[in-house]
Amino acid sequence: SSQQHQEAVHHCASSRCGEDSHGKLYKNDTETQLYSLKMYSIIHIFYNTIYDEDEVLLALAEQLGNFTMLVGGPEYVHCLLPPLESLATVEETVVRDKAVESLRKISQEHSPVDLEVHFEPLVKRLASGDWFTSRTSACGLFSVCYPRVSSTVKAEIRQHFRTLCSDDTPMVRRAAASKLGEFAKVLEPEYVKSDIISLFTALASDEQDSVRLLAVEACVSIATLLPQEDLETLVMPTLRQAAEDKSWRVRYMVADKFSELQKAVGSEITKNDLVPAFQNLLKDCEAEVRAAAANKVKEFCENLPEDNREQIIMTHILPCVKELVSDTNQHVKSALASVIMGLSTILGKDNTIEHLLPLFLAQLKDECPEVRLNIISNLDCVNEVIGIRQLSQSLLPAIVELAEDAKWRVRLAIIEYMPLLAGQLGVEFFDEKLNTLCMAWLIDHVYAIREAATCNLMKLVEKFGAEWAQNTIVPKVLGMANDPNYLHRMTTLFCINALSEACGQEITTKQMLPVVLKMSNDQVANVRFNVAKSLQKIGPVLDSNALQTEVKPVLEKLATDSDMDVKYFAQEAISGMFDFLLSTKLLNFNSLNFIFLLFFLCSFGPSITIPNQRLQDGICHGTLSNQTLKVIACLSQLHTFTSSAASSFVLCGKNTK
Amino acid sequence: METTKLPPSSPSSPTTSFSVPSAEKVDGFPRRSMRRARQRRSHSSSQFRYQSSQVELTPLPLLKDAPVAELHDLFCKKLQQCCVLFDFLDCVADLKGKEIKRAALNELVESVATSRGVLIEPLYPEAIKMISVNIFRTLPPSENPEFDPEEDEPTLEASWPHLQLVYEFFLRFLESPDFQPSMAKRYIDQKFVLQLLELFDSEDPREREYLKTILHRVYGKLLGLRAYIRKQINNIFLRFIYETEHFNGVAELLEILGSIINGFALPLKAEHKQFLVRVLIPLHTAKSLSIFHAQLAYCVVQFMEKDATVTEFIIRGLLKYWPKTCTQKEVMFLGEIEEILDVIEPSQFIRIQEPLFKQIAACISSPHFQVAERALYFWNNEYILSLIEENCQVILPLVFATLYRVSKEHWNQTIVSLIYNVLKTFMEMNSKLFDDLTASYKVEKQKELKRERERSELWRGLEEYEERRMQMLTEAARNQRNLQERSLASPRRQLFVQKLPPLPCKAAAPSF
C-alpha cells in the first residue's frame, strides 16, 4: 500500500501540472484561492493518513517542493509550509533532508514579504524546537532566507545560528558545522569576521571529532571569503591544529580536502604552512590518512607556485613519496601509484629519469597487484615525458605476472590496458612479448576474461590492421575450432563475431566463414546455436552471394535442428538478417541486387516473419525502377504479406517513379 | 603461483595450435573454488602515536616492601611511571620497559584491591590521569571496512597486556571500600565520561566488557553524572540509528541501561518515556539488530514491568517497524513479542490485540517456515493461550481465514501440523464460533471464486471488444484510402494502376 500511496503522490503532482499548462485554472482570484484551499486540505489529508510510512513521507516531502503552481502560484506558496515543517521534524534522516531540500526550493518562490511573514517564523520555530530533529533541519534553512530579509531579522537569524552551533546535542552541532561554510557565504563580510570566525574556531575544537572534521570542510569556504592578510590570524591557527588533531578522522579530512584548502589559502601560506603539514600527513601514523594524502600528491604539486615548485617538490615532497613507495599498507601504496606518474610531467625529463624512474620500477615490482596495475594504467603520462622504452624492460615481467594473477579481476584489469600498451610499445614489441599473453587469455577458465580477451583482440586489430590480424591472430583463433573443449570452440565463434568487421569482407568470407559453417555440425548444441548467432552477426560483412549459397542452407538446416534453442536462434538469425538487409543495403539501391535479395528471403518460405514496415520504408525511400513489377511479384510470395500492405507498395512505387 | 598448478583430475589438455606458456593452467575450465579461508587477524594496529622521545623506565621498589610513611609517595610514583605508553605493534621494542610497567600495574591492582587506606585524596588526580592517558585514544580505523560482527574476527587491541591491567586497576579503584565519590567526582567529570563512552566503539570485545562494568560502577557511585550519562548514551544511539549505523558497543550500553531502567522511580519521568519511544523502539530498525537484540528486548520488557501503560506504545512501535523483507529479523521480533506477551497485563492486551494478531496472522502465512513456526509457537505458551482464550471472540475471526488457508497450502509439513493443533485448540475453546467461521469462510471462498470468474470474463470481453474495434479501424482506414486514391488519381496513375495485374494470393515464383 505504501507503493500505491507513493504513486498517488507523484500522480497528484504530475496530473495537476498537466492541467495547468492548458490554462483552464485560475480564472480569477477567488477561484485560485478556493483552489489553493482545496489543495491545502488534500495535502493535509495525505499527511494525516499516511504519517507512519517513511517511504511515503519521502515522496511527499519531495513532491511538495514542486507544488508551487498547484497551490496557486508563488502568492500562495506559503500554504505548503505547515506540512513541510512537520516533515522537517521527523526522525528519519532521509525524509527530513528531503523536506529541507523542498523548503529551500520553495523559499526562493516566496516574495520578500512572505519570506518574513511566513518562512522566517518557521525557521525560528524549527531552530528552537524541543527535539533535535527540528533544530537539525533549521540549520539548512538559514542561508536561503538570510539574503532576502531585513536587517533586524538578519540579526535574529545570526543569533539563532550561533545558538545552534553550541547546541548540546552533537547531531545539531554537526548539522550546523556542515552548513557553516554555506552560511558564511551569504553573510556580510564584517559578520564573517565577527561571527563566523568564532563559531568556526569553537566547532573546530569541539569535543566530538565528528563535529571537528566538518569544520575542516567549512574552512575552505571561509578562507576564500577572507582577504589574504586576515587568513594568517583568523584561519591558520585552527587549520594547523586540525592538521595535527588527535583524531585520525579529522586529519583524514584535512588530507582529503588538501587541494581545496591549498587553493583557498593561496601560495604564500601554502609555502610556509601547508608544505610541512602535507609532509606530516604523508608520514601520518594511520594508513587511512597517509592514503588520503598520497592521493593528493600530484594535485598538490601541480598547484604549488611555479617559481620554486621544483625545489619544494625535490627537497620536501619527494623524500616522503620515496618512503611511501615502501609503505606497509597496500592501500597507501596503491593510492600513491595512481598519481605518482603524474609527477613526471611536472618535474620534466631529467628529474623523472633520475628520481622518479626508480620509484616507478619499484612499484612495478610491488607485491600487491593493485599497485602494479595503477602504475601500468597511467603509463601514458610517462610516455609523454621520457618514452615508454625506458620502462619496457621492467614493464614486461610486471605485465606477465599480472596477466597470470590468481585474481581474475586483476587479469581483467590488465587486459583492458592492453590496447593502450600495444599502441605505446609498438607492433614489434607486442608481437614478440605480448601476443602470446593475449591468446592465452582466450582460454582462461573465467568467462569474463575470455570475453574481455575477445574484445581486446578486436581493438588490437583496429590498431594494427587487417593484414596483421591475418598473419598473427586469425590462424590461432580458427585453430581453436577443433579444440576438444566446447568452451574453446565457442570462444572461436565469439572471436569471429568481434573480428569480422575489423578484418573486412575478404578475410571473413574466405577464412572465417568456412570454419563457422563447419561448426554447424558440432555435437554440442551450445556451439550450434552460437553458429546461428555468429552467422547473423557476420552477415553484414559477407557478400550476398555467400549469403545465398553458403549461409542460407546452413541456417535452414539449423532451423530444423532437434534442439529447441538451436532452432530458435537459427530463425532469429534468418529474420534478423532480413531486417538488416532491408534497413541498410536496400536503401542504397542496386535494384537487381535488391530483387535478388528479396527473392532469396522469399525462398525461406513462411517460416519467417516479415517486418512489413521495413519493407514499406525500404521501398518508399528507394528509387525503384521498372523492376517494381518483379519486386511485387516476388513479395507476393510471402505469406505474411497482406494485401493492404501490397497496395501501399504499389502506391509507393508509383510515387518514386 | 598457486593457480598455475594443474588440478590432478583435469579431463582434457589444451590442444590449441599455438603454444601458450601458461597453457597448462588452462584445462577444461574446472570449477575451482576461489574462496580461501579468511585470514585470522592476529595483530592489530597500534592505537598510540608512538613517542620518539621514549623515557627509560627504571624499576621502583616493591609496594609491599615500602615503609608506611613512603607508601603513598611510592604509589604515586608508580602511577606516574605507568603513564608512559609503549608501542605494541613492534612486539620486541623496549621489552624491558614494558615489563617494568606491567609489574607496576600488577602491583597497583593488587594494592588497591587488597590493602586498606591506600586511596587518599592526593592519589585521585594521579590515578585518574594514569587511567586517562592509557585508555583514552582515538580508536583506529577498522581494518575491515565491511566489518560484520557476526562473521568476522574482531581486531584485537595490541596493547591489551597493559590496557587490561589499567582497566582492572580502574575497576578495583571504583570498587574499593575506600573509594570516595565526593572526591572522585572532581576528576571523573562529564568530559571523562564522554571519552569513556566513545571507547565503547572498540572492536575488542574484552575491552567493551571492562568498559561495561566500569560504566555501571560509575553510574552507580557518581549520582551527579547519571543524567549526563543517559543523555550521552541517547546521543550515541540516535547517531547509530539515523547517521552511521555503526557502533560496536550497542549491546553493552543496552545491558547497562537494562539495569538502569530497573532502578527508575515511578511514575516514569517524561524523559524516560521519550527515551523508550524515540530511541529504544527505533533501535529495532538497525541492520545489525541480531547483535544486541537480546539486550534490547530485555530493556523493553523492563520498561513494561515498570509501567504497564507503555505497553501500547511498545507494541504499536514494533508493528510500525516490523521487518518487511528480513525474515531473520522477523523471527527476532516475534521472539520479543512473546517476551512482552509473557508479562503483559490483560487490560493492556485488549488494547493492542487487534493490530497485533493481524500481524501474527501475516507471519503465520509467511512462506518462510521459521517465521510461521515462531508465530505458531505462541499457542504453546500457557499465559498467551489464556489471553487468547479470554478474547477468543476477537482473535479467532482475525486469524481464522489465515489458519484455514495456510493449513491447506503451506509447503512445510511441520507448519501444517502445528496449524492443525492451533485449529484444534480454537475448536475446543469455542466450537460454536469456530463452526460459524468455517461456514462463513466457505461462503466467502465461493464468493471470491465467483468474483475471480467475473473478473476474468470481463477481461476476456474487453480483449474481444478491442480486437473487433481494431479490425473495424483497419477496415475503415483501408476504405478511406481506396476512396482517396480513386478521387485523387491522375490519368497517368490510373494507367499505371491498370497496368498492374491483380495481386494473386499465392503466385508462382516469377522467373528471371
Side-chain angles (χ1 to χ4, degrees):
Chain A
S1 85
S2 78
Q3 183 77 39
Q4 286 169 354
H5 279 305
Q6 256 180 54
E7 274 167 23
V9 174
H10 284 288
H11 183 73
C12 188
S14 56
S15 72
R16 301 303 294 178
C17 279
E19 247 174 281
D20 275 352
S21 56
H22 288 111
K24 283 180 194 158
L25 297 165
Y26 321 132
K27 284 199 193 98
N28 52 47
D29 250 11
T30 32
E31 205 171 309
T32 323
Q33 258 171 336
L34 211 68
Y35 176 59
S36 26
L37 213 71
K38 261 193 230 158
M39 223 36 224
Y40 184 61
S41 49
I42 290 174
I43 293 164
H44 262 256
I45 291 166
F46 258 129
Y47 185 67
N48 291 328
T49 48
I50 51 180
Y51 65 94
D52 59 341
E53 281 286 353
D54 287 336
E55 306 283 318
V56 184
L57 294 186
L58 178 66
L60 190 59
E62 189 183 349
Q63 290 302 325
L64 284 178
N66 306 323
F67 264 39
T68 312
M69 286 319 288
L70 307 179
V71 292
E75 265 175 275
Y76 301 96
V77 69
H78 57 83
C79 76
L80 293 172
L81 296 180
L84 279 174
E85 181 176 353
S86 36
L87 286 170
T89 59
V90 301
E91 256 95 0
E92 184 48 58
T93 329
V94 276
V95 178
R96 219 164 56 217
D97 289 350
K98 203 46 107 182
V100 171
E101 206 184 301
S102 286
L103 278 171
R104 287 167 70 109
K105 204 163 153 191
I106 64 170
S107 74
Q108 302 308 314
E109 282 149 0
H110 282 72
S111 66
V113 178
D114 278 351
L115 203 67
E116 275 191 33
V117 177
H118 298 287
F119 197 87
E120 205 271 338
L122 168 141
V123 178
K124 271 195 237 164
R125 276 196 302 279
L126 286 176
S128 43
D130 287 338
W131 192 237
F132 78 94
T133 52
S134 66
R135 301 200 297 276
T136 318
S137 295
C139 293
L141 297 174
F142 293 123
S143 63
V144 289
C145 54
Y146 188 84
R148 299 175 60 211
V149 291
S150 66
S151 56
T152 42
V153 181
K154 279 185 176 175
E156 283 173 35
I157 291 180
R158 287 197 303 274
Q159 181 52 45
H160 276 295
F161 194 79
R162 263 201 298 278
T163 319
L164 292 184
C165 281
S166 51
D167 198 279
D168 68 340
T169 338
M171 282 77 82
V172 179
R173 292 202 303 278
R174 276 197 286 277
S178 68
K179 300 291 177 198
L180 184 67
E182 180 190 292
F183 189 57
K185 279 185 192 157
V186 298
L187 243 57
E188 295 80 357
E190 67 261 37
Y191 293 120
V192 173
K193 268 196 208 175
S194 64
D195 281 29
I196 294 290
I197 294 299
S198 63
L199 296 176
F200 168 63
T201 320
L203 289 170
S205 45
D206 195 275
E207 58 189 12
Q208 302 239 339
D209 58 359
S210 53
V211 180
R212 294 201 298 275
L213 67 88
L214 289 168
V216 175
E217 253 185 307
C219 184
V220 177
S221 330
I222 294 172
T224 46
L225 293 171
L226 290 173
Q228 191 69 32
E229 62 269 22
D230 290 337
L231 284 177
E232 181 54 46
T233 49
L234 299 180
V235 175
M236 285 319 288
T238 314
L239 184 57
R240 270 183 222 121
Q241 175 197 322
E244 287 170 3
D245 197 281
K246 69 181 190 326
S247 164
W248 63 270
R249 290 187 190 86
V250 180
R251 300 196 304 274
Y252 172 88
M253 201 62 169
V254 176
D256 197 46
K257 297 271 166 227
F258 216 83
S259 307
E260 286 95 325
L261 287 167
Q262 184 188 7
K263 279 180 201 147
V265 298
S267 57
E268 208 45 45
I269 294 180
T270 300
K271 257 189 266 177
N272 300 335
D273 272 287
L274 293 193
V275 172
F278 194 62
Q279 281 175 291
N280 283 337
L281 291 171
L282 287 173
K283 288 187 228 156
D284 198 277
C285 66
E286 284 303 343
E288 250 79 357
V289 181
R290 288 198 304 276
N295 251 324
K296 301 285 167 190
V297 164
K298 184 195 154 202
E299 250 180 289
F300 180 76
C301 293
E302 248 172 8
N303 295 330
L304 285 169
E306 279 199 34
D307 46 342
N308 47 5
R309 178 161 76 185
E310 194 177 317
Q311 182 252 328
I312 294 176
I313 297 175
M314 296 307 291
T315 51
H316 298 289
I317 306 297
L318 207 58
C320 302
V321 170
K322 275 182 188 154
E323 272 175 50
L324 289 183
V325 167
S326 48
D327 199 278
T328 49
N329 185 294
Q330 62 166 25
H331 298 293
V332 178
K333 285 186 291 188
S334 95
L336 182 69
S338 64
V339 297
I340 191 174
M341 311 290 269
L343 289 180
S344 52
T345 37
I346 303 171
L347 288 177
K349 189 172 177 182
D350 295 338
N351 279 325
T352 302
I353 293 176
E354 197 186 335
H355 298 284
L356 292 177
L357 200 56
L359 303 182
F360 299 158
L361 297 178
Q363 292 217 300
L364 266 179
K365 293 191 191 94
D366 199 278
E367 57 183 10
C368 167
E370 220 176 299
V371 177
R372 282 173 273 153
L373 205 62
N374 280 345
I375 290 288
I376 290 176
S377 59
N378 286 305
L379 278 177
D380 45 341
C381 314
V382 188
N383 196 22
E384 285 164 22
V385 183
I386 57 168
I388 211 161
R389 291 276 162 188
Q390 293 268 8
L391 278 171
S392 55
Q393 277 312 319
S394 326
L395 210 49
L396 195 65
I399 293 172
V400 172
E401 212 176 303
L402 286 171
E404 291 168 356
D405 197 279
K407 295 196 187 77
W408 68 266
R409 283 175 208 280
V410 175
R411 297 201 296 277
L412 185 65
I414 188 76
I415 293 177
E416 274 158 15
Y417 292 113
M418 265 301 151
L420 186 77
L421 283 171
Q424 285 167 357
L425 293 166
V427 66
E428 297 91 31
F429 187 90
F430 183 86
D431 278 345
E432 200 179 315
K433 318 271 187 188
L434 299 177
N435 196 16
T436 38
L437 282 180
C438 290
M439 300 317 285
W441 281 319
L442 287 176
I443 44 174
D444 197 282
H445 57 268
V446 175
Y447 175 74
I449 299 296
R450 300 199 296 278
E451 193 189 21
T454 319
C455 182
N456 174 42
L457 284 187
M458 182 183 78
K459 288 184 186 150
L460 289 173
V461 174
E462 279 167 4
K463 206 153 240 152
F464 293 150
E467 198 184 329
W468 174 81
Q470 195 174 6
N471 295 330
T472 51
I473 292 185
V474 175
K476 292 180 184 172
V477 167
L478 297 181
M480 278 162 59
N482 302 318
D483 198 284
N485 189 324
Y486 83 97
L487 292 166
H488 294 183
R489 298 201 295 277
M490 294 219 301
T491 308
T492 301
L493 290 173
F494 298 146
C495 286
I496 289 175
N497 292 349
L499 294 177
S500 62
E501 202 170 326
C503 287
Q505 197 182 51
E506 198 186 319
I507 299 177
T508 309
T509 318
K510 293 215 174 113
Q511 301 192 3
M512 295 177 175
L513 185 61
V515 175
V516 179
L517 295 174
K518 205 178 126 215
M519 288 170 88
S520 68
N521 299 317
D522 201 288
Q523 55 185 1
V524 179
N526 298 44
V527 177
R528 291 202 303 278
F529 74 65
N530 273 299
V531 167
K533 281 175 162 183
S534 285
L535 287 175
Q536 177 178 358
K537 190 94 197 190
I538 64 174
V541 187
L542 300 170
D543 62 45
S544 46
N545 189 33
L547 278 177
Q548 167 73 352
T549 56
E550 297 183 71
V551 176
K552 192 189 121 194
V554 170
L555 280 179
E556 274 178 330
K557 192 187 74 193
L558 289 175
T560 59
D561 197 280
S562 59
D563 188 279
M564 210 173 72
D565 294 317
V566 179
K567 238 191 255 182
Y568 170 78
F569 283 109
Q571 280 167 6
E572 278 283 287
I574 292 167
S575 59
M577 210 179 285
F578 189 94
D579 221 35
F580 164 78
L581 289 170
L582 285 170
S583 61
T584 58
K585 287 215 169 150
L586 293 194
L587 293 181
N588 317 316
F589 268 107
N590 163 346
S591 39
L592 237 171
N593 215 353
F594 168 59
I595 290 162
F596 175 73
L597 278 168
L598 278 178
F599 187 58
F600 154 62
L601 289 162
C602 292
S603 60
F604 279 110
S607 66
I608 53 168
T609 329
I610 306 297
N612 267 331
Q613 192 55 45
R614 282 270 198 228
L615 270 175
Q616 283 186 22
D617 289 353
I619 297 170
C620 287
H621 296 113
T623 46
L624 278 188
S625 65
N626 37 5
Q627 269 136 341
T628 316
L629 229 163
K630 288 183 189 168
V631 176
I632 300 299
C634 180
L635 285 173
S636 64
Q637 259 236 308
L638 304 171
H639 277 252
T640 46
F641 186 65
T642 62
S643 55
S644 68
S647 61
S648 62
F649 278 127
V650 176
L651 272 178
C652 297
K654 276 188 307 186
N655 288 342
T656 48
K657 186 121 193 187
Chain B
M1 196 177 283
E2 203 180 59
T3 42
T4 55
K5 274 186 226 154
L6 194 70
S9 62
S10 78
S12 61
S13 58
T15 54
T16 39
S17 56
F18 51 95
S19 72
V20 180
S22 58
E24 58 272 22
K25 79 169 179 178
V26 187
D27 47 68
F29 304 105
R31 281 173 173 257
R32 229 174 304 172
S33 166
M34 294 303 275
R35 193 186 281 182
R36 304 240 168 86
R38 218 174 243 158
Q39 282 183 341
R40 241 192 93 109
R41 237 171 273 279
S42 51
H43 72 89
S44 76
S45 68
S46 165
Q47 308 193 339
F48 298 104
R49 304 182 80 175
Y50 191 64
Q51 302 138 340
S52 48
S53 54
Q54 193 62 272
V55 209
E56 191 87 7
L57 290 191
T58 43
L60 294 165
L62 291 179
L63 278 175
K64 63 174 183 194
D65 299 339
V68 183
E70 288 166 28
L71 181 68
H72 288 128
D73 193 38
L74 186 60
F75 197 96
C76 197
K77 274 191 186 140
K78 295 222 170 205
L79 281 173
Q80 281 160 359
Q81 196 169 46
C82 291
C83 287
V84 178
L85 302 180
F86 291 91
D87 179 11
F88 271 83
L89 246 201
D90 184 355
C91 52
V92 288
D94 206 358
L95 282 176
K96 196 169 139 254
K98 283 176 186 168
E99 179 51 32
I100 292 170
K101 178 168 168 181
R102 200 191 58 79
L105 280 168
N106 262 329
E107 262 193 289
L108 290 172
V109 171
E110 171 86 17
S111 162
V112 91
T114 53
S115 44
R116 285 307 209 58
V118 185
L119 285 185
I120 54 164
E121 188 165 7
L123 287 182
Y124 278 75
E126 292 298 329
I128 294 301
K129 186 179 159 224
M130 189 278 281
I131 292 162
S132 306
V133 166
N134 276 285
I135 66 172
F136 293 152
R137 66 215 190 267
T138 310
L139 295 171
S142 177
E143 277 185 37
N144 178 0
E146 296 108 50
F147 177 68
D148 177 356
E150 283 196 309
E151 292 267 324
D152 299 331
E153 289 286 333
T155 309
L156 296 180
E157 175 52 52
S159 57
W160 191 243
H162 283 174
L163 207 54
Q164 180 189 12
L165 292 169
V166 176
Y167 277 123
E168 189 67 37
F169 171 77
F170 191 13
L171 192 58
R172 302 287 175 191
F173 174 74
L174 289 168
E175 286 175 346
S176 162
D178 294 340
F179 179 78
Q180 301 271 341
S182 54
M183 283 180 213
K185 74 178 178 196
R186 252 176 284 162
Y187 311 105
I188 302 181
D189 54 4
Q190 295 192 345
K191 189 156 182 269
F192 184 92
V193 169
L194 186 67
Q195 287 173 286
L196 198 66
L197 281 167
E198 274 170 12
L199 290 175
F200 274 82
D201 195 20
S202 167
E203 245 179 66
D204 193 331
R206 301 169 302 183
E207 180 167 19
R208 294 202 305 271
E209 193 59 32
Y210 264 111
L211 285 165
K212 184 181 75 187
T213 325
I214 286 169
L215 186 68
H216 189 255
R217 300 289 181 277
V218 171
Y219 190 88
K221 304 221 165 173
L222 299 166
L223 306 186
L225 285 172
R226 287 186 171 186
Y228 183 78
I229 291 177
R230 286 199 306 270
K231 201 169 93 191
Q232 292 308 325
I233 293 181
N234 260 356
N235 286 343
I236 288 176
F237 283 165
L238 287 169
R239 185 171 179 212
F240 169 72
I241 302 166
Y242 295 112
E243 291 183 15
T244 57
E245 285 205 35
H246 177 90
F247 193 83
N248 289 315
V250 177
E252 284 79 5
L253 289 176
L254 282 170
E255 216 175 314
I256 299 169
L257 280 168
S259 72
I260 292 178
I261 295 164
N262 211 348
F264 280 163
L266 282 173
L268 285 180
K269 280 197 234 163
E271 176 213 328
H272 301 326
K273 281 191 184 164
Q274 192 182 50
F275 170 66
L276 171 70
V277 175
R278 300 196 124 152
V279 181
L280 280 189
I281 301 293
L283 263 180
H284 286 86
T285 58
K287 232 187 296 175
S288 48
L289 178 67
S290 60
I291 297 156
F292 55 82
H293 182 253
Q295 289 83 353
L296 180 59
Y298 178 76
C299 286
V300 168
V301 172
Q302 287 295 305
F303 257 110
M304 274 184 55
E305 289 198 344
K306 271 276 152 194
D307 179 357
T309 58
V310 298
T311 311
E312 198 177 342
F313 284 129
I314 292 172
I315 303 251
R316 288 194 189 274
L318 287 179
L319 292 176
K320 176 179 169 186
Y321 295 128
W322 201 273
K324 294 195 170 60
T325 52
C326 181
T327 45
Q328 193 204 359
K329 268 175 84 174
E330 222 173 335
V331 173
M332 285 187 255
F333 270 56
L334 284 166
E336 188 169 345
I337 291 284
E338 180 161 3
E339 279 181 53
I340 290 170
L341 291 181
D342 253 336
V343 296
I344 200 168
E345 282 188 10
S347 60
Q348 295 293 326
F349 180 79
I350 292 167
R351 300 170 76 113
I352 47 83
Q353 58 183 354
E354 251 189 81
L356 180 62
F357 274 83
K358 272 185 195 155
Q359 181 59 56
I360 290 173
C363 292
I364 290 172
S365 59
S366 166
H368 196 297
F369 80 98
Q370 284 176 339
V371 176
E373 188 181 52
R374 191 68 194 82
L376 288 165
Y377 278 163
F378 284 9
W379 274 266
N380 296 347
N381 182 314
E382 276 183 30
Y383 181 63
I384 299 178
L385 202 61
S386 74
L387 289 170
I388 294 175
E389 189 161 11
E390 273 168 46
N391 302 287
C392 192
Q393 288 289 348
V394 183
I395 293 171
L396 186 50
L398 286 173
V399 296
F400 182 81
T402 309
L403 288 172
Y404 201 93
R405 186 172 50 80
V406 177
S407 75
K408 299 244 185 296
E409 286 172 3
H410 208 282
W411 62 273
N412 185 299
Q413 276 314 304
T414 322
I415 300 300
V416 174
S417 59
L418 278 171
I419 288 192
Y420 276 128
N421 287 339
V422 171
L423 283 171
K424 212 172 107 223
T425 324
F426 272 126
M427 203 154 36
E428 285 158 9
M429 264 181 207
N430 190 339
S431 59
K432 165 92 178 52
L433 180 62
F434 193 88
D435 292 343
D436 288 352
L437 285 169
T438 318
S440 68
Y441 178 81
K442 283 181 179 153
V443 172
E444 223 15 74
K445 198 84 193 167
Q446 288 302 320
K447 272 193 205 155
E448 204 179 303
L449 273 176
K450 194 165 159 250
R451 268 202 302 277
E452 192 53 46
R453 245 195 332 268
E454 280 169 2
R455 196 178 298 133
S456 57
E457 263 164 31
L458 180 67
W459 277 110
R460 218 181 13 255
L462 274 174
E463 270 159 23
E464 276 168 17
Y465 170 77
E466 180 65 12
E467 216 166 274
R468 272 203 307 280
R469 206 175 64 96
M470 285 308 288
Q471 267 176 4
M472 268 160 63
L473 278 177
T474 356
E475 197 80 10
R478 194 189 308 157
N479 291 342
Q480 181 90 28
R481 214 168 26 230
N482 287 343
L483 216 65
Q484 273 176 357
E485 198 177 295
R486 261 175 235 139
S487 60
L488 291 174
S490 68
R492 198 174 155 210
R493 260 187 201 157
Q494 221 158 12
L495 197 75
F496 188 82
V497 173
Q498 277 165 357
K499 262 185 165 176
L500 277 172
L503 283 169
C505 268
K506 220 177 183 182
S511 53
F512 286 71

